[in-house]
C-alpha cells in the first residue's frame, strides 16, 4: 500500500480513442506527499532523481522523434495539450453477432426460453462503472437512468420474463451459471430484453471504502457482486442460466414515485402522461400544430372553472401584476427532445450547491435532497415501451404558491422574478413544500453537512462551494437557478461598465448538459436563446392551468419515426 497522489496532482501522457497523443498536466500542487504512477515507476526503474515531466518528455520524444526536441515545441505541446497529426489509421473489422452464433434462441423474436437456458448480460453500472467508483457517494445516490434505483444494483428482468417465472420487484433470486451462482434482488424493468437478465457490474465490493463498504470500517458492502458469475468465456453475456426465487425479499430504494406528478400505474399513466410531458411524432405535430401541445383534458376542466360569471371575468391570481420589463427577467427552457436522462445536470447541481447525500434508508423515507429530479415515464407495450424523460427543478413561478404560505417570508420574489430563499429566516414549517405543485422543495431532516463543518482536516472543508450557503437541520432548500453565478456576473459587468452577453451566465445544470437541452438567459433580451425557445410553438409550461406563471418552459419532444418501419413492426407484432 502506498499513498497515491490524486490524478489532478500528477503528470502523465495518454492517447485519445483515435490515437492522438496528449499530455496530462497537474492542475494543483500536491497537497500531501503522495506518489503518482510515474513516481512509482521512477523508483522501480532506478531513476528517482528524474523529474516527472522530464520522463514524460523523454518518452514522447522516443515515440515521436524530433517533433518535441526543442524547448519551444515542448512548450507548444503543453499549451495545446496534444500533438497534431498523431492519430492512428482506423481498421475495418468484421462484426460478430454473438447473440445468434453463441446464445442460440434466447433473442429470436422474443420466443419463450425455458429456465436453465436463460441469458445473463453483464453491463457497466451507471454509478460504479466497473467498480472503480464504488466509494463515490454522489454517484451511488444518483438514481439509475431507467430503474431509478439508488444505493443498490439489481437483476433486471423484463415484464414477460417476470410473469413467466413469477418474479416481482424485490424478490431475491439465485442465479446459477454452470458451477457459479449468486443471489441478487430482482427488478422488473420495462424494455429489458425478454429472457435476458441484466446484471450491473461494480457493486458488492468488500473493500470499497467508507461509503461503498469496507470490512475494516464495519461498513456492509453496497449492492450485489455480479462478478461472481462473470468468466472469460462469457465476458459480456452468457447463456444457460437458471433463475430460482429464494423466498426472501429485499427493499430497493427507488425514487421515481417519490415526488412524481402522476402516481398512477403504468396503464393509466400512459393515458395521462401528456399532461406533464408533451410528446408526438413529426406527422402528428404537422397535422395538429399547437393543438398537440395545448390539448389537455385537465386544462379544459380548469377553463370551465374560470368561466365568466354575470359578464365578469374572474382573476384567478392571488398576486398583483408586476412589471418585469425593466432590468433582467431570468428564464429557462428545457428541450425534452434533447434530454437523454444522463443525470449530468443533477450531479452538477449537487456539486455547485453543496447538496448532501443522505443514505439508502433516508432515500427510502422519501428524504433525498437532490434539487433536480429526472422523471421517467413509460408508454405503450411494457416489453417494448416508449420512454420519455423530464428534468424537473424549481420552476421559479411568478405567482409562486410557496411564498404565500410562508409565515416568516423565508421565500420571496426578487425584482428579477426569481423565487429566492433566505435560509436564516426559515423555521421549517414545511408549508412551502406542501403548497408546491411541482414537489421540488427539500427539507433538511438532519444536519447532513455536520461532518464537513466540524472536520479538523481543512482539505475536507474545500469540498463545499464557498459561494453557496451550507444549510443546517430544519431548513427548507430548493433550486435557485444558481443565483450566486448570476450575482457574480452582474457585479463583474457593473465594475467593467458593460452589459451581460447572452450565454455568459450559465447555471450548473446548463453548463453540464452534454446535449444542450437546458438554456438559461434573460427573457427581456429578445435575441437571447431562451427567449427564442420560449416563443417556439412547441413550448409549454408545466401545470400551466394552475396559473403559477412559471419562468421555465419545456419544449415538447417531437420524434420522427420511419413510417415504413413502424408499419412493418406492427405487422410483425400482429403476426406473433
Amino acid at each position: 500500500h502506498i499513498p497515491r497522489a490524486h490524478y489532478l496532482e500528477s503528470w502523465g501522457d495518454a492517447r485519445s480513442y483515435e490515437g492522438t497523443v496528449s499530455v496530462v498536466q497537474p492542475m494543483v500542487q500536491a497537497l500531501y506527499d503522495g506518489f503518482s504512477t510515474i513516481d512509482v515507476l521512477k523508483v522501480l526503474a532506478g531513476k528517482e532523481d528524474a523529474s516527472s515531466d522530464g520522463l514524460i518528455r523523454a518518452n514522447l520524444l522516443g515515440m515521436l522523434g524530433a517533433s518535441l526536441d526543442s524547448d519551444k515545441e515542448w512548450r507548444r505541446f503543453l499549451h495545446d495539450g496534444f500533438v497534431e497529426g498523431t492519430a492512428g489509421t482506423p481498421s475495418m473489422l468484421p462484426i460478430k453477432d454473438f447473440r445468434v452464433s453463441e446464445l442460440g434462441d434466447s433473442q429470436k423474436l422474443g420466443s419463450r426460453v425455458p429456465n436453465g437456458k436463460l441469458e445473463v448480460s453483464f453491463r457497466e453500472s451507471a454509478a460504479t462503472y466497473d467498480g472503480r467508483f464504488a466509494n463515490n457517494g454522489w454517484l451511488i445516490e444518483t438514481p439509475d437512468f431507467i430503474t431509478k434505483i439508488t444505493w443498490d444494483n439489481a437483476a433486471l428482468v423484463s415484464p414477460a420474463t417476470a410473469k413467466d417465472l413469477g418474479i416481482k420487484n424485490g424478490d431475491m433470486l439465485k442465479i446459477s451459471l454452470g458451477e457459479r451462482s449468486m443471489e441478487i434482488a430482482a427488478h422488473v424493468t420495462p424494455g429489458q430484453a425478454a429472457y435476458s437478465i441484466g446484471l450491473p457490474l461494480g457493486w458488492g465490493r468488500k473493500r470499497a471504502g467508507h461509503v461503498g463498504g469496507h470490512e475494516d470500517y464495519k461498513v456492509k458492502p453496497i449492492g450485489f457482486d455480479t462478478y461472481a458469475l462473470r468468466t472469460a468465456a462469457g465476458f459480456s453475456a452468457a447463456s444457460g442460466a437458471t433463475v430460482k426465487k429464494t423466498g426472501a425479499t429485499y427493499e430497493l430504494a427507488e425514487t421515481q414515485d417519490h415526488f412524481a406528478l402522476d402516481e398512477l400505474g403504468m396503464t393509466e399513466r400512459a393515458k395521462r402522461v401528456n399532461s406533464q410531458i408533451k410528446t408526438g411524432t413529426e406527422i402528428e405535430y404537422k397535422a395538429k400544430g399547437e393543438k398537440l401541445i395545448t390539448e389537455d383534458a385537465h386544462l379544459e376542466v380548469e377553463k370551465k372553472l374560470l368561466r365568466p360569471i354575470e359578464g365578469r371575468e374572474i382573476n384567478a391570481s392571488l398576486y398583483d401584476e408586476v412589471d418585469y420589463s425593466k432590468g433582467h427577467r431570468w428564464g429557462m427552457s428545457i428541450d425534452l427532445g434533447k434530454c437523454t436522462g444522463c443525470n449530468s445536470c443533477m450531479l452538477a447541481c449537487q456539486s455547485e450547491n453543496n447538496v448532501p447525500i443522505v443514505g439508502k434508508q433516508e432515500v427510502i423515507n422519501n428524504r433525498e435532497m437532490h434539487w433536480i429530479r429526472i422523471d421517467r415515464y413509460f408508454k405503450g407495450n411494457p416489453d417494448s415501451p416508449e420512454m420519455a424523460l423530464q428534468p424537473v427543478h424549481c420552476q421559479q413561478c411568478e405567482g409562486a404558491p410557496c411564498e404565500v404560505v410562508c409565515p416568516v417570508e423565508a421565500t420571496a420574489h426578487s425584482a428579477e422574478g426569481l423565487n429566492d430563499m433566505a435560509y436564516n429566516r426559515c423555521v421549517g414549517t414545511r408549508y412551502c413544500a406542501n403548497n408546491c405543485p411541482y414537489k421540488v422543495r427539500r427539507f433538511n431532516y438532519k444536519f447532513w453537512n455536520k461532518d464537513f463543518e466540524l472536520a479538523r482536516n481543512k482539505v475536507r472543508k474545500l469540498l463545499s462551494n464557498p459561494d453557496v450557503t451550507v444549510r443546517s437541520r430544519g431548513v427548507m432548500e430548493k433550486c435557485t437557478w444558481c443565483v450566486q453565478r448570476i450575482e457574480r456576473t452582474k457585479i463583474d459587468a457593473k465594475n467593467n461598465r458593460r452589459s451581460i452577453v447572452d450565454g455568459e451566465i450559465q447555471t450548473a445544470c446548463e453548463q453540464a448538459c452534454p446535449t444542450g437541452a437546458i438554456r438559461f438567459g434573460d427573457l427581456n433580451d429578445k435575441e437571447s436563446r431562451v427567449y427564442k425557445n420560449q416563443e417556439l410553438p412547441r413550448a409549454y409550461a408545466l401545470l400551466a392551468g394552475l396559473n403559477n406563471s412559471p419562468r421555465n418552459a419545456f419544449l415538447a419532444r417531437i420524434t420522427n419515426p420511419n413510417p415504413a418501419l413502424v408499419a412493418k413492426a406492427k405487422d410483425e407484432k400482429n403476426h406473433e
Side-chain angles (χ1 to χ4, degrees), residues 245-418:
K245 294 197 297 182
T246 66
T249 58
Y250 185 88
E251 189 171 18
L252 295 169
E254 298 181 65
T255 63
Q256 173 61 26
D257 292 327
H258 283 189
F259 307 106
L261 299 175
D262 189 345
E263 297 181 355
L264 301 176
M266 181 172 175
T267 304
E268 291 299 320
R269 178 179 289 124
K271 300 177 182 178
R272 291 180 52 184
V273 66
N274 271 0
S275 63
Q276 281 83 47
I277 301 182
K278 309 292 185 181
T279 63
T281 64
E282 185 181 18
I283 296 176
E284 293 173 338
Y285 184 55
K286 288 181 178 179
K288 294 184 177 181
E290 293 187 31
K291 289 185 178 180
L292 180 67
I293 313 302
T294 57
E295 280 183 349
D296 194 324
H298 303 288
L299 292 184
E300 292 300 321
V301 173
E302 288 159 0
K303 288 178 181 177
K304 292 179 181 179
L305 294 176
L306 300 178
R307 65 184 183 276
I309 298 178
E310 297 179 358
R312 296 177 300 170
E313 291 189 2
I314 297 176
N315 181 9
S317 177
L318 299 176
Y319 305 86
D320 295 331
E321 293 295 329
V322 179
D323 183 11
Y324 292 108
S325 61
K326 299 179 181 179
H328 301 292
R329 182 170 172 248
W330 305 116
M332 182 176 284
S333 66
I334 301 177
D335 191 342
L336 300 180
K338 294 181 179 180
C339 178
T340 63
C342 68
N343 291 325
S344 294
C345 56
M346 180 184 291
L347 283 168
C349 175
Q350 187 166 20
S351 174
E352 173 74 16
N353 295 295
N354 301 329
V355 177
I357 62 173
V358 299
K360 177 180 177 178
Q361 186 56 50
E362 295 302 323
V363 173
I364 293 174
N365 294 339
N366 296 17
R367 294 177 178 179
E368 63 266 28
M369 296 299 295
H370 293 124
W371 286 4
I372 300 176
R373 73 174 189 272
I374 301 179
D375 288 340
R376 177 264 297 132
Y377 296 95
F378 292 117
K379 185 178 181 180
N381 182 359
D383 287 301
S384 57
E386 297 179 28
M387 187 174 72
L389 299 156
Q390 184 178 46
V392 181
H393 47 19
C394 179
Q395 302 297 293
Q396 306 292 343
C397 310
E398 289 186 4
C402 56
E403 294 178 4
V404 293
V405 294
C406 181
V408 293
E409 293 190 14
T411 178
H413 239 61
S414 72
E416 297 172 348
L418 293 182

Side-chain angles (χ1 to χ4, degrees), residues 15 141 171 181 223 248 258 274 284 287 302 369 410 447 513 524 557 560:
R15 281 187 181 271
E141 192 160 290
D171 285 346
S181 66
H258 283 189
N274 271 0
E284 293 173 338
E302 288 159 0
M369 296 299 295
F447 190 8
C513 182
N524 282 338
R557 182 173 180 264
N560 186 24

Side-chain angles (χ1 to χ4, degrees), residues 13 124 216 251 311 503:
D13 54 3
E124 291 84 1
D216 294 347
E251 189 171 18

